[in-house]
Amino acid sequence: MSVVPKSLAKDFGHRPDLVAHLAPWQSRAHIGAEKGPPMTIVFDNSYARDLPGTYLRLAPDPAPNPRLLVFNQQLADRLGLTLDGEQATRWFSGASLPPGADPIAQAYAGHQFGGFSPQLGDGRAHLLGEILAPDGQRFDLQLKGSGRTPFSRGGDGKAAIGPMLREYLISEAMAALGVPTTRSLAVVATGEDVWRDTKLPGAVLTRVAASHLRVGTFQFFAARGDKAQLKALADYAIARHDPDLLRATNPTLAFLDAVIDRQVRLIAEWMGLGFIHGVMNTDNMAISGETIDYGPCAFMEGYGPGTVFSSIDHQGRYAYANQPVILGWNLARLAETLVPLIDPDPDRAVDLASSLLDGIAGRYRNAWLALMRRKLGLAGEDAGDAALADDLMTAMVGADWTLTFHRLGTPAALRPLFEDFTAMEAWLPRWRARTGEGTGGHMAKANPAVIPRNHEVEAALTAATAGDMAPFEALLTAIREPFVEREAFMLPAPSAFGSYVTYCGT
Ligand code: AMP
Ligand code: MG
């Protein structure tokens, strides 16, 4: 087998230094593999098997002194994994490889803040392989922060404890809130320092995902005009995520429709929770419909449609209220890649794709309205519901997003959340007239008491970086039961916390 798959070799042709690195990295995969009795992770690596030429095979960096910081037993149980702490520490830090792992870095491209990068790829992640849960569901097991790859560009391939624990925490919160998301199995400190603005302890996150196929994966091959590889990728994606569609009249078009459906529902869920992803680049949009890549994301406290946390999002491209717009923009980029597969007649292919794209705004609006009906406890459908929901948005500007919904039924508790309660006071009787009595139970399940509040997250990560995991553990317990009222985790940041900024390059 050639070291560099053919379709990638041409991209690295101008970087002989990278290609030269591939040989030792490749061999390390074998040196690291443990021999011995059959272990508890059984891999079935379909991506590596079925899609040669879409990845580079190379081993993670071995962590010099791994120490397990957090292990997700709930998730391990769901996946049917039984591991002792020592195995988990070694395998989920890259210190050694579980038998059957076939570590690869996946190629992908992407629009970052609107500008196209034809080659991104896993610059600090290694897909160990896929496992089948007891219910037959297939999951990727990926190490993140596990060393440089030919896709690293200027980066060090590493990650610090703080951002990896942050992904663990926020993705677990999303899972507990019922939002489709990648999950986190473990964070292991590597015993190695990484340099950011300052020296920080390094860590590796083990991410579990329905797959790591992104809009950007399709863009990588579309941009190269590699129709054969694009077709192989689409066939693979359909077989993996939408096997029923293999029998559709036009499987590619049906697949686009299915991805639109998943993403529309996902972004509606984010909006309902006041979640701001922060980097909705096309490489961070998963075909599976899971939330992926928790970088500068955060939950909004005071409602403002233009809220942005990311330090690098100067234009507000990924601001709260712009997320549904970017949803459509990103899906249009996916549709463009699929056009050659939709119909041999390009005009017809574009027409078919366009009619799906034209429907996105309406589909999103419907998904949002359905979600708002749940959050407001509105039974059935009424012609006035859209106006009721829209007017709430206007009335609650500035008030804490999470608590406003959580306390909607108790005006005395609601009032202190508002600087000016006038508009809300006018809105409440309209809502009560619509709901009548007895909506509380349903609403409680749609309106969490606890979200990961930014000041709590920061405090937990700061303590963890300094070696104290107790605040992280306490916050994790709270966010795992978001509908349970835990006073200490429900309150907005004290004003001294100031306006929150999150950072990329994490
Ligand atoms: P992200 O912003 O995390 O979605 O990453 C965008 C691109 O940058 C991907 O190709 C990542 O693999 C790469 N990247 C991010 N951080 C690093 C790092 N520390 N070292 C190497 N590559 C990185
Ligand atoms: Mg990414």
Side-chain angles (χ1 to χ4, degrees):
M1 185 194 52
S2 75
V3 172
V4 185
K6 244 200 259 155
S7 65
L8 292 176
K10 61 175 183 275
D11 302 310
F12 296 120
H14 65 294
R15 294 289 308 272
D17 52 334
L18 292 182
V19 176
H21 273 92
L22 286 172
W25 283 0
Q26 174 139 11
S27 59
R28 221 189 287 148
H30 301 289
I31 294 164
E34 289 180 354
K35 294 183 188 69
M39 290 288 177
T40 44
I41 301 185
V42 179
F43 286 96
D44 178 51
N45 305 326
S46 68
Y47 189 91
R49 194 167 57 229
D50 295 353
L51 294 172
T54 67
Y55 58 84
L56 293 166
R57 181 170 272 123
L58 75 174
D61 280 355
N65 189 17
R67 190 166 50 86
L68 190 63
L69 293 179
V70 52
F71 183 72
N72 194 337
Q73 190 57 53
Q74 272 178 18
L75 180 58
D77 292 346
R78 193 258 171 272
L79 298 173
L81 297 179
T82 44
L83 302 171
D84 64 35
E86 202 180 317
Q87 275 175 337
T89 306
R90 296 182 58 73
W91 289 348
F92 301 143
S93 64
S96 70
L97 285 172
D102 183 11
I104 60 172
Q106 292 175 305
Y108 54 85
H111 277 90
Q112 301 181 299
F113 290 90
F116 187 61
S117 299
Q119 186 190 291
L120 294 168
D122 289 330
R124 58 161 170 177
H126 295 78
L127 178 64
L128 291 182
E130 298 147 38
I131 55 173
L132 297 172
D135 64 356
Q137 230 183 295
R138 181 179 295 269
F139 291 97
D140 275 6
L141 218 54
Q142 190 205 59
L143 301 184
K144 181 169 171 180
S146 43
R148 296 193 79 242
T149 79
F151 300 113
S152 300
R153 292 166 292 160
D156 62 359
K158 305 284 175 167
I161 281 182
M164 294 304 98
L165 286 176
R166 189 180 158 80
E167 171 154 346
Y168 188 107
L169 189 76
I170 311 284
S171 62
E172 283 308 291
M174 294 296 257
L177 289 161
V179 180
T181 178
T182 65
R183 304 265 319 252
S184 302
L185 185 59
V187 177
V188 184
T190 57
E192 186 179 67
D193 289 328
V194 298
W195 282 93
R196 294 296 178 257
D197 288 340
T198 164
K199 197 170 74 169
L200 293 167
V204 171
L205 170 87
T206 301
R207 178 154 75 179
V208 174
S211 86
H212 283 83
L213 297 173
R214 310 147 187 268
V215 170
T217 318
F218 288 84
Q219 289 182 291
F220 184 91
F221 300 102
R224 283 158 179 74
D226 188 344
K227 192 175 164 189
Q229 198 63 273
L230 193 66
K231 173 83 169 82
L233 180 67
D235 288 347
Y236 176 87
I238 296 171
R240 183 155 175 185
H241 291 295
D242 299 285
D244 294 348
L245 302 184
L246 291 169
R247 289 190 303 273
T249 327
N250 188 333
T252 313
L253 193 66
F255 170 67
L256 177 60
D257 187 55
V259 177
I260 290 173
D261 182 62
R262 288 193 281 268
Q263 284 294 335
V264 157
R265 282 186 287 127
L266 178 66
I267 307 309
E269 293 282 347
W270 291 0
M271 297 301 280
L273 290 166
F275 177 76
I276 301 170
H277 183 284
V279 253
M280 280 180 78
N281 294 334
T282 55
D283 55 302
N284 292 336
M285 183 174 265
I287 296 306
S288 65
E290 290 181 337
T291 312
I292 191 169
D293 266 7
Y294 293 86
C297 62
F299 286 82
M300 178 172 64
E301 295 206 312
Y303 169 51
T307 305
V308 170
F309 294 111
S310 170
S311 64
I312 60 169
D313 192 358
H314 306 295
Q315 313 291 320
R317 180 179 172 88
Y318 301 138
Y320 174 74
N322 216 33
Q323 295 184 124
V325 178
I326 297 296
L327 159 80
W329 196 91
N330 286 354
L331 291 171
R333 304 290 81 76
L334 175 65
E336 284 163 4
T337 71
L338 297 177
V339 159
L341 307 179
I342 288 176
D343 199 278
D345 172 359
D347 290 337
R348 190 173 143 71
V350 168
D351 282 350
L352 289 168
S354 300
S355 66
L356 286 181
L357 295 177
D358 290 344
I360 291 175
R363 287 165 78 165
Y364 170 75
R365 176 77 175 163
N366 287 339
W368 182 81
L369 193 55
L371 183 88
M372 278 303 178
R373 287 197 176 100
R374 288 206 301 283
K375 288 179 80 68
L376 297 177
L378 310 181
E381 294 182 14
D382 188 288
D385 291 349
L388 189 69
D390 288 339
D391 292 346
L392 172 63
M393 296 298 100
T394 310
M396 67 181 280
V397 168
D400 187 82
W401 178 270
T402 306
L403 290 181
T404 297
F405 283 99
H406 189 69
R407 295 180 179 173
L408 217 45
T410 45
L414 198 57
R415 190 180 286 267
L417 302 174
F418 287 74
E419 247 169 58
D420 179 354
F421 200 55
T422 324
M424 198 62 193
E425 201 150 36
W427 182 86
L428 282 169
R430 290 172 55 201
W431 173 61
R432 264 186 234 103
R434 168 66 174 90
T435 56
E437 300 300 319
T439 55
H442 300 295
M443 279 180 62
K445 291 199 189 74
N447 298 312
V450 175
I451 45 127
R453 296 216 172 242
N454 303 323
H455 63 293
E456 299 282 357
V457 173
E458 284 307 312
L461 300 186
T462 303
T465 301
D468 176 13
M469 289 295 288
F472 180 88
E473 297 290 348
L475 182 55
L476 186 60
T477 302
I479 58 98
R480 280 213 160 120
E481 295 180 321
F483 301 101
V484 175
E485 297 197 339
R486 287 180 168 89
E487 191 88 27
F489 296 98
M490 287 173 65
L491 301 178
S495 52
F497 187 65
S499 65
Y500 189 54
V501 180
T502 56
Y503 297 91
C504 257
T506 47

